[in-house]
Amino acid sequence: MVEYEQSIFQNKLIEIAKKNLVNIVLPESEDDRILEATSFILKNDIAKITLLGDEKKIRNRAKELKIDLFDVNILNILQSGYYEKYVKRFM
């Protein structure tokens, strides 16, 4: 019963996301679960994705997992010029 309700909930979220095509920003982007979720989201046109982290490491791990990161924005916050701005804002 719980699995069935979860599936309905998940499908409803996907339906809403597709209608509003938002950009989801995901940290910890070298993590397999994040990369697999990114792949699912992109293949199903659910949302746009921005991954935070080192682009080379992220792409290498995705390649090892046979995940195509087509149409993904990868932002290395430490090299983006935004790092200091966010440190000041959230400290």
Side-chain angles (χ1 to χ4, degrees):
M1 182 72 172
V2 173
E3 188 174 312
Y4 175 73
E5 289 174 2
Q6 182 179 4
S7 177
I8 292 172
F9 177 72
Q10 184 178 16
N11 289 340
K12 187 66 175 170
L13 282 178
I14 290 171
E15 180 183 321
I16 291 168
K18 281 184 173 185
K19 287 181 184 176
N20 297 304
L21 197 60
V22 296
N23 184 53
I24 300 172
V25 179
L26 299 171
E28 302 176 16
S29 300
E30 295 170 43
D31 184 288
D32 294 359
R33 295 169 297 170
I34 297 296
L35 293 171
E36 289 166 1
T38 296
S39 178
F40 177 83
I41 290 166
L42 293 173
K43 285 180 182 175
N44 290 285
D45 295 318
I46 296 170
K48 294 181 179 183
I49 298 289
T50 297
L51 298 175
L52 299 181
D54 182 289
E55 183 168 5
K56 185 176 180 180
K57 289 180 182 179
I58 293 167
R59 291 201 182 277
N60 285 341
R61 185 61 189 142
K63 186 176 180 180
E64 290 170 2
L65 296 171
K66 296 179 175 52
I67 293 174
D68 183 10
L69 295 180
F70 63 93
D71 204 27
V72 172
N73 181 35
I74 299 177
L75 177 65
N76 186 336
I77 195 73
L78 298 175
Q79 297 176 349
S80 68
Y82 294 109
Y83 181 75
E84 290 298 323
K85 175 183 172 183
Y86 289 123
V87 167
K88 288 177 185 175
R89 182 174 180 189
F90 294 110
M91 294 293 282

